[in-house]
């Protein structure tokens, strides 16, 4: 019988398993390097001289920036002033080097490196199921079909870390109107790519049910907040953030915001989702941010801002109650 590797759920937030003072000192040091983590290198923190710290910081930042595209048309686009956040925007280098993208690795600090060579052109998105206009979109056509806008949203991972990010994209409801769902369409199911040759995590972590899949109700999918995202910080998405196109549902835990979408299917039954299939007692279908419902293994009452390490209270629906509370009675 083959050895079946049982995949782990989300790891406990680092701060919950490491004594607070050790954790804070380690993070302060790593931040001085321009990184939130440097793998084995960080074990030798005590041996690093001041000058080599500065050099390491500079080369670390240069390396992350290498993975970030320069702005080129159609970016940057105008910011929609309706979506403001009363917190500073997260430093881009930090957001670009602290990612969840299990197709590449479970190690957040390494995703940007392992995703660097991933090919995002040509890229097609198949639309199927209960729609009048089943079709396959080429990414380069899709990006010209709807007016793009920038929105600054709070983003909250189920692991209790948070950031504030300027996303560029278009409301998913514009896309849904274009493909014309039939009355049988009650849910939207979305699927990511499956390319073990380019994505090391898919090759090495066979226990996960690849490709990654997610779902929303039609009301959630057509909510004003739900964005199809093609850019971030005024340029195209770098691979680690889910190039060339991902979803953002800012009132839900981050795992609902599926990256690198290749298929969108309109279905009549609630579709299974990747994390719910793996650990149904820990990750539900709806997964709305809620400080009063703890994860079975940690509290959700507060969250850690990734670039400052500040701990702040978690907001119900991640602060988007006025847009979405009505969806849940
Ligand atoms: N989409 C795919 N295809 N694969 C993933 O592993 N991780 C999710 C979500 N979308 C994930 C994904 C999780 S858990 C989070 S928190 C966010 O992506 C992280 O997005 P970011 O790396 O852009 O911050």
């Amino acid at each position: 019988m083959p050895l079946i590797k049982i995949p782990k759920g989300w790891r406990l937030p680092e701060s919950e398993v490491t004594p607070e003072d050790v954790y804070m000192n380690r993070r302060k040091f790593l931040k001085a390097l321009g990184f939130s983590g440097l793998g084995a290198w960080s074990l030798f923190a005590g041996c690093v001289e001041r000058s080599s710290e500065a050099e390491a910081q500079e080369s670390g930042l240069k390396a992350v920036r290498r993975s970030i595209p320069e702005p080129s048309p159609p970016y940057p686009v105008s910011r929609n002033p309706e979506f403001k956040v009363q917190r500073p925007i997260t430093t881009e280098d930090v957001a670009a080097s602290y990612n969840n993208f299990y197709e590449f690795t479970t190690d957040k600090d390494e995703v940007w490196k392992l995703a660097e060579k991933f090919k995002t052109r040509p890229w097609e998105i198949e639309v199927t199921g209960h729609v009048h206009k089943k079709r396959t979109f080429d990414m380069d056509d899709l990006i010209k079909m709807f007016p793009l806008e920038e929105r600054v949203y709070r983003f909250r991972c189920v692991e209790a870390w948070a950031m504030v990010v300027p996303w560029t994209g278009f409301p998913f409801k514009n896309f849904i109107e274009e493909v014309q769902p039939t009355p049988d369409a009650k849910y939207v199911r979305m699927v990511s790519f499956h390319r073990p040759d380019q994505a090391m995590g898919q090759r090495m972590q066979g226990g996960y049910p690849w490709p990654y899949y997610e779902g929303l109700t039609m009301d959630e999918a057509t909510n004003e907040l739900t964005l199809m995202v093609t850019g971030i910080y005024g340029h195209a998405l770098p691979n680690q953030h889910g190039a060339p196109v991902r979803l953002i549902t800012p009132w839900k835990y981050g795992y609902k915001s599926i990256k690198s979408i290749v298929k969108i299917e309109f279905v009549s039954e609630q579709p299974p989702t990747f994390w719910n299939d793996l650990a149904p007692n820990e990750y539900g279908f709806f997964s709305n941010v809620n400080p009063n419902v703890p994860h079975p293994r940690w509290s959700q009452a507060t969250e850690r801002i990734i670039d400052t390490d500040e701990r702040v209270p978690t907001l119900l629906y991640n602060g988007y109650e006025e847009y979405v509370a009505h969806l849940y009675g």
Side-chain angles (χ1 to χ4, degrees):
M1 210 174 111
L3 183 66
I4 297 178
K5 195 177 154 218
I6 309 288
K8 292 189 201 121
W10 295 117
R11 287 171 295 172
L12 266 181
E14 194 182 3
S15 56
E16 310 266 317
V17 287
T18 312
E20 181 85 343
D21 55 342
V22 177
Y23 167 74
M24 289 311 286
N25 286 338
R26 179 170 165 266
R27 284 199 60 83
K28 260 187 218 137
F29 172 75
L30 293 172
K31 203 131 44 75
L33 294 175
F35 275 93
S36 49
L38 281 177
W41 209 79
S42 62
L43 295 172
F44 302 102
C47 310
V48 178
E49 300 289 338
R50 216 169 252 282
S51 59
S52 55
E53 272 183 35
E55 277 167 26
Q57 176 179 20
E58 202 29 56
S59 72
L61 288 178
K62 254 197 213 147
V64 176
R65 286 186 198 133
R66 195 182 61 207
S67 72
I68 298 176
E70 290 296 321
S72 64
Y75 308 99
V77 304
S78 311
R79 185 170 289 180
N80 182 336
E82 183 181 337
F83 302 98
K84 288 195 202 87
V85 173
Q86 303 305 327
R87 282 181 195 167
I89 289 180
T90 301
T91 315
E92 175 164 18
D93 302 331
V94 176
S97 53
Y98 192 78
N99 305 96
N100 273 328
F101 207 166
Y102 273 34
E103 284 85 337
F104 295 96
T105 170
T106 56
D107 187 344
K108 291 188 222 327
D109 311 319
E110 299 289 320
V111 172
W112 69 270
K113 281 178 239 165
L114 292 170
E116 239 183 330
K117 297 212 167 83
F118 182 61
K119 301 249 178 311
T120 59
R121 289 293 191 284
W123 191 274
E124 290 185 335
I125 300 131
E126 182 194 354
V127 177
T128 184
H130 298 300
V131 276
H132 290 296
K133 290 162 102 181
K134 287 194 183 89
R135 66 177 269 199
T136 297
F137 291 85
D138 182 83
M139 185 60 210
D140 293 324
D141 298 331
L142 180 70
I143 205 165
K144 293 184 205 128
M145 285 182 71
F146 308 97
L148 297 174
E149 56 181 89
E150 184 177 74
R151 295 186 182 186
V152 178
Y153 278 164
R154 277 179 290 271
F155 183 92
R156 172 62 152 80
C157 178
V158 73
E159 296 168 314
W161 54 263
M163 58 184 184
V164 174
V165 169
W167 303 106
T168 300
F170 51 86
F172 195 33
K173 75 166 171 346
N174 296 355
F175 177 87
I176 292 176
E177 278 162 18
E178 170 65 29
V179 296
Q180 297 174 15
T182 69
D184 288 335
K186 307 288 185 220
Y187 295 86
V188 187
R189 173 176 181 265
M190 286 153 286
V191 184
S192 288
F193 65 90
H194 190 217
R195 293 193 205 161
D197 55 321
Q198 288 179 40
M200 193 178 93
Q202 290 187 328
R203 207 162 57 239
M204 311 293 278
Q205 299 166 160
Y208 289 95
W210 305 118
Y212 197 97
Y213 45 100
E214 255 305 335
L216 295 172
T217 66
M218 284 298 281
D219 282 347
E220 292 174 330
T222 53
N223 185 270
E224 201 183 335
L225 291 177
T226 306
L227 213 55
M228 256 190 131
V229 165
T230 60
I232 187 169
Y233 292 97
H235 50 69
L237 283 172
N239 291 350
Q240 62 266 41
H241 281 299
V245 62
R246 70 176 296 173
L247 201 80
I248 287 291
T249 47
W251 74 99
K252 292 180 175 287
Y253 290 120
Y255 60 89
K256 297 293 295 181
S257 292
I258 183 173
K259 294 175 170 181
S260 306
I261 300 169
V262 299
K263 186 172 178 182
I264 299 176
E265 188 176 4
F266 291 80
V267 294
S268 53
E269 304 288 329
Q270 183 177 303
T273 58
F274 185 87
W275 279 106
N276 185 247
D277 278 351
L278 281 167
N281 56 328
E282 301 200 346
Y283 310 105
F285 177 81
F286 288 99
S287 302
N288 297 322
V289 176
N290 190 338
N292 306 314
V293 178
H295 183 279
R297 290 183 280 133
W298 58 83
S299 163
Q300 295 290 22
T302 62
E303 60 198 31
R304 179 178 61 81
I305 308 292
I306 57 170
D307 55 348
T308 61
D309 280 334
E310 198 188 345
R311 201 157 263 285
V312 297
T314 302
L315 304 171
L316 183 62
Y317 298 114
N318 203 20
Y320 295 104
E321 201 171 349
E322 64 178 298
Y323 293 94
V324 296
H326 69 275
L327 298 178
Y328 307 105

